[in-house]
Amino acid sequence: MRTRLLTPFTLLLFLILPHLSLAVESSPLSGKLVITGSSTVAPLVLEVGKRFEKAHPGVRVDVQTGGSSRGVADVRQNLADIGMVSRALNPDEQELKAFPIALDGISIILHKNNPLVSLSEEQIVGIYRGQIKNWKDVGGKDGPITVVNKAEGRSTLELFEKYFKIKNSEIKSQVIIGDNEQGIKTIAGNPGSIGYVSIGTAEFAAGNGVPIKLLPLQGISATVEEVKAGKYPLSRPLNLVTKDNSKALARSFLDFAQSAGVEDLVKEQYFVTFSKK
């Protein structure tokens, strides 16, 4: 039998083809991801983004706030690859796909020097409707109540309205705030104020010396541990949302944001880790 000799060109192909295949399979991620929405979710996503960029030097993750409504709207209008939404998707948003990355709760907060340690739900509604205007009427010191409310488009406001069965048009507020940090600074700077923010953000701030305190709800302490145990009544998922036809880079980021590789970041932000099932 006659042996067929390999030409130099054929031999070269045999040598380089396996490496070409490997290069295609392990080609590095690159490009820019725009992520907009909830100010509650943003600090966590910012840290996740930094870790993702470190693993993929060719990727840039741009995180912008503006509220959950912005996150939904931007994804719908192709202004963002991923939206941050600190609530479950509404019935009219079901064309989007939600990826839970953590759990959180919403807490009523007061200044640390306010002697009250609890308020009933009826008292909270009365304060926000402007029916109760002085702290002495709920067992506190004589002094006016400064009502701090969230701006329209914030999911925290939506959940507050739903839970307490109150419309935003009924709320008599003296101060309107946007993100959680602004709300915490407002309460910390005004001993007569009342507000509501993310439990995770508030617990972190209080633990680092900011003069605020979190009030219980239905007798359940407003803590990350109670949210984790499923006992706290006003809790919510923290979601990343996207369209079904999202690009490969976005899908890679979503997988990473739901992985065990970022659980330490979730805990550092005082949120509850979300287990994929």
Side-chain angles (χ1 to χ4, degrees):
M1 181 180 289
R2 191 175 175 182
T3 304
R4 190 171 184 178
L5 297 177
L6 295 175
T7 67
F9 178 74
T10 307
L11 182 59
L12 181 62
L13 283 178
F14 272 106
L15 291 173
I16 67 172
L17 276 175
H19 298 285
L20 285 174
S21 176
L22 181 62
V24 170
E25 292 174 1
S26 60
S27 58
L29 292 173
S30 63
K32 179 181 178 180
L33 273 180
V34 176
I35 305 176
T36 69
S38 167
S39 61
T40 298
V41 186
L44 171 58
V45 173
L46 187 62
E47 294 305 315
V48 173
K50 289 177 182 177
R51 187 168 290 181
F52 191 75
E53 289 176 336
K54 188 174 181 180
H56 307 284
V59 174
R60 181 190 168 199
V61 180
D62 181 11
V63 180
Q64 305 171 24
T65 59
S68 294
S69 294
R70 180 190 175 186
V72 169
D74 283 357
V75 169
R76 280 175 163 171
Q77 298 169 30
N78 296 317
L79 298 175
D81 301 295
I82 297 172
M84 299 177 289
V85 181
S86 51
R87 56 168 171 75
L89 288 175
N90 293 325
D92 62 348
E93 297 167 344
Q94 295 305 310
E95 84 279 10
L96 301 179
K97 190 171 182 181
F99 297 82
I101 59 172
L103 299 175
D104 184 32
I106 297 171
S107 171
I108 299 293
I109 61 171
L110 305 179
H111 192 278
K112 185 178 180 180
N113 293 338
N114 191 316
L116 291 176
V117 295
S118 66
L119 287 167
S120 69
E121 293 184 9
E122 292 76 15
Q123 288 172 328
I124 293 168
V125 171
I127 288 171
Y128 271 83
R129 282 185 172 149
Q131 298 161 339
I132 301 173
K133 299 181 180 180
N134 194 299
W135 285 112
K136 68 179 181 181
D137 296 329
V138 288
K141 293 181 179 179
D142 184 15
I145 299 174
T146 300
V147 176
V148 180
N149 194 30
K150 282 272 192 174
E152 287 281 3
R154 303 283 176 168
S155 65
T156 311
L157 169 61
E158 295 177 32
L159 292 166
F160 179 85
E161 291 175 301
K162 183 177 180 181
Y163 181 83
F164 288 102
K165 297 179 175 60
I166 183 172
K167 296 179 180 179
N168 195 33
S169 59
E170 300 174 316
I171 294 176
K172 309 300 181 185
S173 57
Q174 287 75 51
V175 180
I176 303 293
I177 54 96
D179 60 30
N180 292 300
E181 288 75 12
Q182 185 183 4
I184 289 169
K185 287 178 182 177
T186 300
I187 303 300
N190 185 341
S193 61
I194 181 173
Y196 56 94
V197 296
S198 155
I199 283 180
T201 309
E203 194 170 5
F204 177 82
N208 284 274
V210 179
I212 62 167
K213 61 182 174 183
L214 293 74
L215 296 190
L217 201 57
Q218 294 185 18
I220 307 297
S221 298
T223 65
V224 168
E225 286 304 313
E226 295 294 4
V227 173
K228 186 176 182 179
K231 296 179 180 179
Y232 190 74
L234 187 46
S235 58
R236 58 183 175 176
L238 302 183
N239 287 317
L240 296 181
V241 303
T242 188
K243 292 182 176 179
D244 280 336
N245 62 346
S246 58
K247 60 188 182 183
L249 180 57
R251 293 196 298 271
S252 294
F253 183 85
L254 291 167
D255 286 341
F256 184 72
Q258 286 190 309
S259 72
V262 300
E263 286 185 356
D264 60 319
L265 300 180
V266 174
K267 293 174 182 177
E268 285 172 9
Q269 293 292 327
Y270 280 66
F271 295 135
V272 175
T273 55
F274 184 89
S275 301
K276 290 178 69 175
K277 295 181 180 180

